[in-house]
Amino acid sequence: MARAATTTDAFNAVAEPRRREILDALAGGERSVTDLVEQLAVAQPVVSKHLRVLREVGLVQVRDEGRQRIYRLEPAPLREVYEWVKDYERLWTERFDLLDAVLEDLKAQQAEPDRHGSQPADAETTDKERES
Amino acid sequence: MARAATTTDAFNAVAEPRRREILDALAGGERSVTDLVEQLAVAQPVVSKHLRVLREVGLVQVRDEGRQRIYRLEPAPLREVYEWVKDYERLWTERFDLLDAVLEDLKAQQAEPDRHGSQPADAETTDKERES
DNA sequence: TTGACGTATGCCGATATCGGCATACGATGA
DNA sequence: TCATCGTATGCCGATATCGGCATACGTCAA
């Protein structure tokens, strides 16, 4: 057995950064293959191959227009990914609450010095404020 | 060049369904390897190997407790995934609005048949993403 | 010590990926 | 019809995955 095919899932399809870039580009509107080649600055066969994968998992749709093929984003399959991760958001938010609690405790300890001298109790998670 | 290592990303790590199951299990609280083996009903080496990958991308943390190793969820790296996918949620919602718009147009055309047989002249239009 | 338990690791085979390059193929225009 | 543009596909090599099985390693209990 080997790794699951990239065309198995939105999960697998989207694990490839270049494919994410393509989707991001397509989020700005329909694009022809050449458009994408220019925008991503990669070889044309590479783009075509990635588009094939995306097509097979239903993340893009194609339309023929003369000798060009216009690709359009089809976000639906991403829902699966979203639904899975979204529940974890709560956790990293809670984690900050937890951190706050710890900081609160530290402050309390400083105010009311209750020494137990030994362990400096790893300050492992001290820099993660930013954002949100 | 081959597919990116599974330990490259949260994206890659999480593309494997079994690994998602492990994280889901861990979301319910700390678990020993044996706990996970029972819960997932897979061979122990398999679980250990997946845990290694998860550890390497920082999605879990380990703690020794006697002869057991207790694994704990570390959701932070999932943020990257969430941040990427969350913007697409809007799209599959908007899609319905878009559909409505199209239906509206169709109705209008039926009412006032305006034929022009040729090119619909690049509907490329203006798409800028103004998020946030 | 010895042995059992809990886990990690090593090796294997089958399978796919991804990019590069060449090339095939369909549509268009001279 | 022929050349050209826009895309897709085929083949290749290098690399990893994932599960199975055996086994090594560390901890604890007799």
Side-chain angles (χ1 to χ4, degrees):
Chain A
M1 207 167 283
R3 213 203 292 210
T6 53
T7 53
T8 304
D9 267 336
F11 280 104
N12 281 280
V14 149
E16 160 69 48
R18 215 92 68 166
R19 251 153 5 220
R20 262 174 276 144
E21 283 179 41
I22 291 181
L23 293 178
D24 289 343
L26 257 28
E30 300 186 333
R31 297 276 189 278
S32 73
V33 177
T34 305
D35 288 346
L36 292 169
V37 168
E38 287 174 11
Q39 196 165 338
L40 303 196
V42 294
Q44 174 267 312
V46 171
V47 171
S48 281
K49 284 170 186 170
H50 282 312
L51 283 170
R52 194 191 205 319
V53 172
L54 292 173
R55 226 163 53 224
E56 288 188 28
V57 292
L59 276 166
V60 300
Q61 268 187 241
V62 220
R63 167 169 52 90
D64 278 41
E65 190 160 297
R67 44 187 160 188
Q68 300 190 254
R69 312 202 84 193
I70 311 297
Y71 282 82
R72 182 189 348 148
L73 176 65
E74 189 63 64
L78 287 179
R79 194 162 196 167
E80 178 190 18
V81 178
Y82 177 77
E83 292 296 330
W84 183 76
V85 274
K86 80 166 196 288
D87 295 331
Y88 286 90
E89 191 206 1
R90 221 182 26 119
L91 296 183
W92 67 63
T93 310
E94 272 174 8
R95 230 176 143 58
F96 293 123
D97 297 347
L98 215 61
L99 180 60
D100 285 347
V102 171
L103 292 176
E104 222 49 49
D105 282 4
L106 285 177
K107 262 192 267 183
Q109 281 183 20
Q110 271 186 321
E112 177 234 317
D114 163 330
R115 63 204 35 160
H116 268 313
S118 303
Q119 318 297 18
D122 357 346
E124 254 268 61
T125 45
T126 36
D127 42 25
K128 287 185 164 205
E129 310 93 303
R130 281 307 150 95
E131 324 212 36
S132 162
Chain B
M1 207 166 282
R3 212 202 294 208
T6 53
T7 53
T8 304
D9 266 335
F11 279 104
N12 281 280
V14 149
E16 161 68 48
R18 214 91 69 165
R19 251 152 7 219
R20 262 175 275 144
E21 284 179 40
I22 291 181
L23 293 178
D24 289 343
L26 257 28
E30 300 185 334
R31 298 274 189 278
S32 73
V33 177
T34 305
D35 287 346
L36 292 170
V37 168
E38 285 174 13
Q39 195 165 338
L40 304 195
V42 293
Q44 174 267 312
V46 171
V47 171
S48 281
K49 284 169 185 170
H50 283 311
L51 284 170
R52 193 191 205 321
V53 172
L54 293 173
R55 226 162 55 222
E56 288 189 28
V57 291
L59 276 166
V60 301
Q61 268 188 241
V62 219
R63 168 169 53 91
D64 278 40
E65 189 161 298
R67 44 189 160 188
Q68 300 189 253
R69 312 202 84 193
I70 310 298
Y71 282 83
R72 182 190 348 150
L73 177 65
E74 190 62 65
L78 286 180
R79 194 162 195 168
E80 179 190 18
V81 177
Y82 177 77
E83 292 295 330
W84 181 77
V85 75
K86 80 170 199 290
D87 295 330
Y88 286 91
E89 190 205 1
R90 220 184 22 124
L91 297 185
W92 66 64
T93 311
E94 269 176 12
R95 226 169 150 66
F96 293 119
D97 301 345
L98 214 61
L99 181 59
D100 287 346
V102 170
L103 291 177
E104 221 50 47
D105 282 2
L106 285 177
K107 261 192 268 181
Q109 282 184 18
Q110 271 186 322
E112 177 236 316
D114 165 331
R115 61 203 33 153
H116 262 319
S118 306
Q119 313 298 10
D122 288 33
E124 253 275 348
T125 62
T126 48
D127 13 57
K128 293 267 162 178
E129 50 267 18
R130 62 285 217 89
E131 320 249 319
S132 123

